[in-house]
């Protein structure tokens, strides 16, 4: 497995693969890889001849008061995980390689990005769309892999690919959870033992909401209220949102029907803002 840091070198490697008629999968990440990322890499290895994992903590998608500086990084451990999972290339650029002096072009989106995480993280999706477009142009993959834990991000990327006629198949992969239910996230490492057990309130409320819908509840407000009440019992939890939206538009719904996304964002003890969700077709 190679590790490359420049756009030029990645392009050269991918061009050689293309000459041999090989297909290419891309797994965009910010590193500090866990079993969630590993499941994306595994899927890419199954479906593509060659797999590129990008590891880049993208400054553009962090707001001024967010955790860019403290975001965990460990290239050595990430490389081991990529290698043993079957990736062929890690693209690990410096910020200056991705954003050269004078950088002033962005990919932005309205609608889908103005709900859920977009409300409390106003610059986030512009940063995500811009960096993912750049990665798509650099690697030119056939398929790209994203986790369903970031359900809004997945919807935004699918929309961007459709709107901008990018010839790339976007593959969504299921949430991977710890044994006790906590969704895997690089940000879980911000938490000490007590905070980590407080964080279980996210998955507990997701499982409660899912059960209510499975058992026939169709009033979104009733489900959201029950989930909110449960989260509020945890003193370390600060709710950002508990929402039920249409999966395609990200607009809030009152009656649960069609393709729905129930998504939550909750801060734990002012240390980590975590997200979780379930999607269902009703
Ligand atoms: O999901 C992430 O880790 C990031 O938002 C992504 C897609 C790698 C873009 O920086």
């Amino acid at each position: 497995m190679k590790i490359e840091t420049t756009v030029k070198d990645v392009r050269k490697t991918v061009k050689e693969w293309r000459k041999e008629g090989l297909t290419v999968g891309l797994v965009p990440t910010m590193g500090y890889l866990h079993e969630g990322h590993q499941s994306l890499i595994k899927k890419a290895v199954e479906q593509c001849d060659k797999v590129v994992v990008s590891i880049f903590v993208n400054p553009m998608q962090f707001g001024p008061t967010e955790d860019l500086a403290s975001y965990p990084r460990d290239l050595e451990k990430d490389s081991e995980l990529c290698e043993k999972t079957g990736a062929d290339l890690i693209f690990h650029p410096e910020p200056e390689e991705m954003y050269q002096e004078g950088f002033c072009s962005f990919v932005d989106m309205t609608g889908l990005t103005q709900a859920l995480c977009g409300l409390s993280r106003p610059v986030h999706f512009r940063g995500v769309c811009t960096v993912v477009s750049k990665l798509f142009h650099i690697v030119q993959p056939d398929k790209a892999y994203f986790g369903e834990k970031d359900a809004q991000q997945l919807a935004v990327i699918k929309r961007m690919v459709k709107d901008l006629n990018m010839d790339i198949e976007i593959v969504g992969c299921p949430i991977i959870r710890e044994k006790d239910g906590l969704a895997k996230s690089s940000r879980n490492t911000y938490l000490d033992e007590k905070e980590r057990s407080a964080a279980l309130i996210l998955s507990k409320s997701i499982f409660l909401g899912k059960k209510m819908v499975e058992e026939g509840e169709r009033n979104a407000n009733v489900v959201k209220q029950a989930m909110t009440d449960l989260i509020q019992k945890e003193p370390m939890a600060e709710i950002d949102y508990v929402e039920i939206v249409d999966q395609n538009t990200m607009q809030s719904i009152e009656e649960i029907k069609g393709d729905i996304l129930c998504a939550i964002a909750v801060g734990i003890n002012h240390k980590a803002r975590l997200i979780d969700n379930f999607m269902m077709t009703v």
Side-chain angles (χ1 to χ4, degrees), residues 27-31 37 40 54-59 61-62 71 99 121 124-125 127-129 131-132 135 145-147 150 153 157 186-187:
V27 183
T29 81
M30 298 207 298
H37 299 108
L40 308 182
S54 64
I55 297 181
F56 178 59
V57 183
N58 173 34
Q61 69 189 71
F62 289 80
Y71 198 85
Y99 301 114
R121 306 188 72 192
H124 177 66
F125 287 111
V128 169
C129 288
V131 82
V132 170
L135 291 167
Y145 297 79
F146 294 86
D150 294 290
Q153 170 172 279
I157 301 291
S186 307
R187 289 189 168 98

